[in-house]
Amino acid sequence: MAVDGAHILLVEDDAPSRRLLSMALRTEGYRVTDVASGEAALTLLANEEADFRALVTDVMMPGIGGHRLLDHVHASP
């Protein structure tokens, strides 16, 4: 599968899981930006220059979990 370096935002609060997922995605040819919280993801997504093609998120995280993060993403213009 050709991914052409598509940029993925990975949101995972567990550091070992985040490292493993990030490495696996990079091995498949993706560019990955990884963060440890929904709040950090929202900060990145608010940047007008963000060029993410996909969002991969944990569902259960402290603060803004995956479901709330997706609600915010869908609500933004």
Side-chain angles (χ1 to χ4, degrees):
M1 170 175 24
V3 297
D4 297 327
H7 196 181
I8 293 178
L9 176 57
L10 170 64
V11 188
E12 169 61 64
D13 63 321
D14 180 66
S17 297
R18 188 172 60 252
R19 282 191 299 273
L20 179 64
L21 289 167
S22 182
M23 183 176 62
L25 290 166
R26 285 187 174 102
T27 298
E28 292 299 317
Y30 294 96
R31 289 185 304 132
V32 179
T33 298
D34 56 80
V35 295
S37 69
E39 292 84 358
L42 288 176
T43 298
L44 287 174
L45 290 167
N47 181 344
E48 291 182 18
E49 296 177 13
D51 66 341
F52 300 108
R53 301 286 299 283
L55 171 66
V56 176
T57 184
D58 187 357
V59 173
M60 306 229 356
M61 294 183 291
I64 296 177
H67 290 282
R68 276 190 53 211
L69 176 58
L70 289 176
D71 288 344
H72 284 284
V73 169
H74 288 301
S76 21

